[in-house]
């Protein structure tokens, strides 16, 4: 998993600062109650936290993919990676936060996990 990967990279390359970019979870539904994406981020971020705190890996940044649903080269608009739903049939491209956006924003606000939170 991700913890093993960052541990390997840290050992292999002399403990550099690591930035994880464009990491995310796609679905084809694009529903606002995207608990599978919340679960993914919660458990990935927890494993990264363990790598930092328990293993001493220097992870300096994590960037979720993606802020909004967008065009994916291989799948067009059918794959939904966004923390925000984009209404592609609306000329204004209305954006609505998904549950994962609210979850991720709480982690950012608290600079970590919130105790006793019941998401996934």
């Amino acid at each position: 998993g991700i913890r093993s990967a960052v541990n390997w990279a840290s050992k292999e390359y002399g403990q550099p600062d690591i930035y994880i970019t464009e990491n995310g979870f796609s679905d084809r539904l694009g529903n606002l109650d995207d608990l599978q994406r919340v679960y993914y981020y919660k458990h990935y971020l927890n494993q990264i936290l363990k790598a930092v705190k328990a293993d001493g890996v220097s992870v300096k940044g994590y960037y979720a993919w993606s802020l909004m649903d967008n065009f994916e080269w291989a799948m067009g608009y059918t794959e939904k990676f966004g923390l925000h739903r984009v209404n592609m049939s609306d000329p204004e491209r209305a954006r609505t936060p998904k549950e994962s956006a609210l979850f991720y924003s709480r982690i950012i606000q608290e600079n970590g996990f919130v105790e006793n939170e019941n998401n996934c």
Side-chain angles (χ1 to χ4, degrees), residues 49-65:
L49 180 61
K50 287 178 181 179
V52 170
K53 296 290 189 183
D55 307 335
V57 177
S58 182
V59 176
K60 296 293 185 180
Y62 177 88
Y63 304 93
W65 184 258

Side-chain angles (χ1 to χ4, degrees), residues 33 35 38-39 42-43 99 103 106 113-120:
D33 186 18
L35 294 180
V38 172
Y39 180 88
K42 181 177 184 177
H43 291 277
E99 183 62 32
F103 173 77
R106 283 190 299 272
F113 289 102
V114 178
E115 286 190 50
N116 300 321
E117 191 161 280
N118 292 327
N119 287 342
C120 303

Side-chain angles (χ1 to χ4, degrees), residues 32-88:
L32 295 177
D33 186 18
D34 61 340
L35 294 180
Q36 74 280 14
R37 186 174 284 107
V38 172
Y39 180 88
Y40 175 89
Y41 282 125
K42 181 177 184 177
H43 291 277
Y44 257 68
L45 290 170
N46 189 43
Q47 290 302 308
I48 293 165
L49 180 61
K50 287 178 181 179
V52 170
K53 296 290 189 183
D55 307 335
V57 177
S58 182
V59 176
K60 296 293 185 180
Y62 177 88
Y63 304 93
W65 184 258
S66 162
L67 178 62
M68 295 181 287
D69 290 338
N70 59 9
F71 181 83
E72 294 293 328
W73 288 109
M75 300 302 290
Y77 292 113
T78 61
E79 291 289 324
K80 313 294 185 197
F81 277 90
L83 297 170
H84 293 78
R85 178 196 290 168
V86 178
N87 183 345
M88 298 300 181

